[in-house]
Amino acid sequence: MFKRLIAVLAIVLAGTAPALAKRVALVIGNGAYEHTVPLPNPANDAEQMAAKLRALGFEVVAGQDQTYSDMRRSVMNFAKKAYGAEIAILFYAGHGLQVAGKNHLVPIDATIEDETSLDFETITVDFIMRQMSKDVKVQMVFLDACRDNPLARTLSRRMGPSRSGSVGAGLAEIKIEETGGEGSVIAFATSPGDVALDGDGANSPFTTALIKHIDTPNASIQTVMTRVTGDVYEETEKRQRPWVNASLIGEVFLNKRSVAPSTTVASLGDTATSTPPAPAATSTATQSAIAWEREKLIWETAKSSNTVVDYQAYLDAYPSGLFADFARNSIKRLSSANQVASVNPTAPAGTAAAAGNPVIATLPDPQKAIPGTETTEAAMGWNRNSRREVQTRLNLAGHDVGRPDGAFGPKTRAGVSAWQTANGIVPTGYFTAAQYALLTTQTATQYSAYQAEVNRKQQAAAASRSTTTRRTNTTTTTRRTNNNSGGGGVNPAGAAFIGGVVGGIIGGAIGR
């Protein structure tokens, strides 16, 4: 009841008519990927887009960092609510991939090991759009899922050369089909087949522009998307141009505001004056605006502190508020992180997180609680040189794994587990992308010094080899001169000695 009241107040604020049309949206942001590169923005993108749509009178089914099961459940709930809606919206931010012209949205637990994985680990855009076509007047799809996706490259390699060409970069163009409604709008963060940018802020460039313009009063969705395209094109220095395909029988407004009627009063000067709106209407709108600003302030305070106590305070005040789902998700993530942190609540002396700070805070949320597996490590695509670098960094971090040889045997796995334990991470012996980033950060200074020393030794070895070569050439010339003079042959023992010296130098250089 409280949630419906807020929706009504939001529409009053927007100046819409009292008769409310049914509006439903599915908003999903996936960034905490377990088996591929995590994305920093989708959770923020989804949170802010859900709040914006709720303020516009939409009933929103929202989810962040969803597994395959979570996404299927969200789509099912959305499908039930969307039946008979005036407007149904899908907004998705996260990894996506196209195979044979079909677009797949990727849950956070997907591995995508082969083509079979596509049917059982991803959800197609076509499937969701079918749920939006059931007696829905206007369908809108916004896909901020055109990022560079390592899972697509892995799938392409495993499909072989004959079929790998069916895996494309970015997303594939979606054809608009006649559904008997008033039309559709489909928008991508960038052109089909291109890769979009994540941006440097809390939101991607596309979502930033969409949030900015989608609630512009009395602007049609066609006008909104023109402005979004312009903002993204300029913000990315003309490297990214959103793609929009619209087929509407008329203008569609998400924030239509009625203009208060004016009363023209004749005067001697033939001028006209407008009668201001009724005081009662102004008072209602003002009270609604104050209530919304109060809720938003409490939410921003809780989000800024990022503590369970403050998120719970928001829920106590607004148990069905616009941000209630996100507050509960945040409490769940923080509680999970605290459990992991309790394994080793403080960092060992000399680390970046020493002096009693929780070590778990050195990993980006929500990656802090995700354990490494053989799959998460394989997804990073390390070659032998990369594995040597990891072993070197583990040694530099104080966890002896022996001579870096690029082979992760029992000693290396034990070193990885020891490093994870020291940093308050579940000790599995396998890395995630976030854990590797943490190790890289911790050993940045030591590794730079190590590389400098390696380069110095290599240069010294090269100079030594050059000197030895010159000496050998001189000795050969001398022997030839002696032979021409009737001198004796080369002493075998001396030749063996010189060969041993040269071999030792070369072997030492390789082993350093």
Side-chain angles (χ1 to χ4, degrees):
M1 183 66 185
F2 187 77
K3 187 174 183 179
R4 291 180 179 177
L5 178 60
I6 288 183
V8 172
L9 291 176
I11 294 173
V12 171
L13 266 175
T16 56
L20 300 181
K22 186 177 181 181
R23 296 175 164 193
V24 182
L26 173 62
V27 178
I28 296 176
N30 287 341
Y33 285 93
E34 300 171 7
H35 307 297
T36 189
V37 179
L39 299 172
N41 296 326
N44 294 329
D45 293 342
E47 177 183 312
Q48 295 186 31
M49 181 57 66
K52 183 73 71 171
L53 292 175
R54 286 192 178 105
L56 288 171
F58 280 81
E59 184 176 1
V60 178
V61 177
Q64 295 170 275
D65 297 328
Q66 293 203 312
T67 64
Y68 177 78
S69 297
D70 294 334
M71 286 186 68
R72 294 281 298 188
R73 191 177 304 109
S74 294
V75 173
M76 181 180 68
N77 293 338
F78 168 68
K80 292 179 178 179
K81 296 176 184 297
Y83 189 87
E86 180 189 42
I87 301 176
I89 287 180
L90 164 63
F91 173 88
Y92 175 81
H95 276 313
L97 54 87
Q98 61 151 308
V99 180
K102 181 174 292 187
N103 295 312
H104 300 258
L105 307 183
V106 184
I108 64 169
D109 58 345
T111 58
I112 316 295
E113 296 178 344
D114 50 40
E115 283 187 86
T116 304
S117 302
L118 295 175
D119 290 330
F120 296 97
E121 295 183 5
T122 70
I123 295 178
T124 66
V125 176
D126 290 346
F127 172 73
I128 300 177
M129 290 188 68
R130 284 200 302 274
Q131 315 310 313
M132 300 170 63
S133 63
K134 300 172 182 177
D135 197 25
V136 175
K137 289 185 178 180
V138 178
Q139 307 170 46
M140 297 186 185
V141 177
F142 303 99
L143 297 178
D144 197 355
C146 312
R147 278 94 161 177
D148 182 30
N149 187 358
L151 290 176
R153 296 194 295 273
T154 300
L155 177 62
S156 179
R157 288 194 301 268
R158 293 177 179 175
M159 288 175 66
S162 62
R163 289 185 48 76
S164 62
S166 65
V167 182
L171 295 180
E173 179 180 351
I174 297 177
K175 303 292 185 181
I176 292 181
E177 298 180 1
E178 179 57 46
T179 60
E182 296 180 3
S184 302
V185 177
I186 299 174
F188 289 176
T190 190
S191 302
D194 286 346
V195 176
L197 304 175
D198 288 319
D200 299 324
N203 302 105
S204 73
F206 176 72
T207 300
T208 297
L210 189 59
I211 290 172
K212 176 182 176 182
H213 294 292
I214 198 169
D215 62 348
T216 302
N218 296 323
S220 67
I221 191 62
Q222 296 94 324
T223 300
V224 166
M225 294 314 301
T226 298
R227 295 174 181 176
V228 169
T229 299
D231 280 8
V232 174
Y233 192 58
E234 292 300 322
E235 177 66 23
T236 61
E237 298 179 349
K238 303 181 180 180
R239 290 178 294 168
Q240 178 177 330
R241 183 196 296 270
W243 177 87
V244 182
N245 189 3
S247 177
L248 299 170
I249 63 176
E251 291 186 310
V252 176
F253 299 87
L254 295 183
N255 191 8
K256 184 71 172 177
R257 293 187 179 182
S258 59
V259 180
S262 61
T263 302
T264 303
V265 181
S267 68
L268 292 176
D270 243 355
T271 59
T273 59
S274 297
T275 304
T282 303
S283 175
T284 301
T286 301
Q287 292 174 6
S288 300
I290 292 174
W292 163 243
E293 291 298 331
R294 182 183 296 114
E295 179 183 354
K296 188 166 66 172
L297 177 61
I298 294 174
W299 167 249
E300 291 296 337
T301 301
K303 186 178 177 182
S304 176
S305 68
N306 196 35
T307 62
V308 172
V309 173
D310 285 346
Y311 284 126
Q312 188 59 53
Y314 168 82
L315 286 175
D316 292 342
Y318 301 96
S320 301
L322 296 178
F323 306 100
D325 290 340
F326 301 108
R328 294 187 184 95
N329 289 341
S330 297
I331 290 174
K332 184 177 179 180
R333 284 198 301 269
L334 289 170
S335 298
S336 176
N338 289 337
Q339 291 175 2
V340 176
S342 65
V343 175
N344 186 8
T346 56
T351 63
N357 293 328
V359 178
I360 203 67
T362 61
L363 275 177
D365 182 41
Q367 287 291 313
K368 59 183 67 171
I370 297 177
T373 65
E374 185 176 357
T375 305
T376 63
E377 190 172 285
M380 288 185 278
W382 285 338
N383 57 26
R384 196 173 187 86
N385 288 334
S386 300
R387 291 194 292 270
R388 286 195 189 101
E389 178 197 330
V390 173
Q391 290 172 318
T392 300
R393 290 184 182 276
L394 287 168
N395 284 335
L396 293 172
H399 304 283
D400 182 21
V401 299
R403 178 176 174 175
D405 57 3
F408 281 16
K411 190 168 185 177
T412 297
R413 294 299 175 194
V416 175
S417 296
W419 175 83
Q420 289 170 329
T421 300
N423 285 275
I425 302 168
V426 179
T428 64
Y430 292 93
F431 279 100
T432 65
Q435 292 173 17
Y436 172 61
L438 175 60
L439 175 64
T440 301
T441 301
Q442 289 178 339
T443 58
T445 302
Q446 299 97 312
Y447 191 75
S448 295
Y450 165 81
Q451 285 286 74
E453 180 64 15
V454 168
N455 292 337
R456 185 191 66 78
K457 289 184 176 181
Q458 288 177 343
Q459 292 172 0
S464 178
R465 286 196 297 271
S466 177
T467 301
T468 301
T469 300
R470 288 198 299 271
R471 289 176 179 171
T472 302
N473 291 338
T474 301
T475 302
T476 301
T477 302
T478 302
R479 286 201 300 269
R480 287 174 179 170
T481 301
N482 291 336
N483 288 339
N484 292 337
S485 303
V490 178
N491 185 338
F497 174 76
I498 293 174
V501 171
V502 175
I505 294 174
I506 294 175
I510 293 174
R512 292 176 182 176

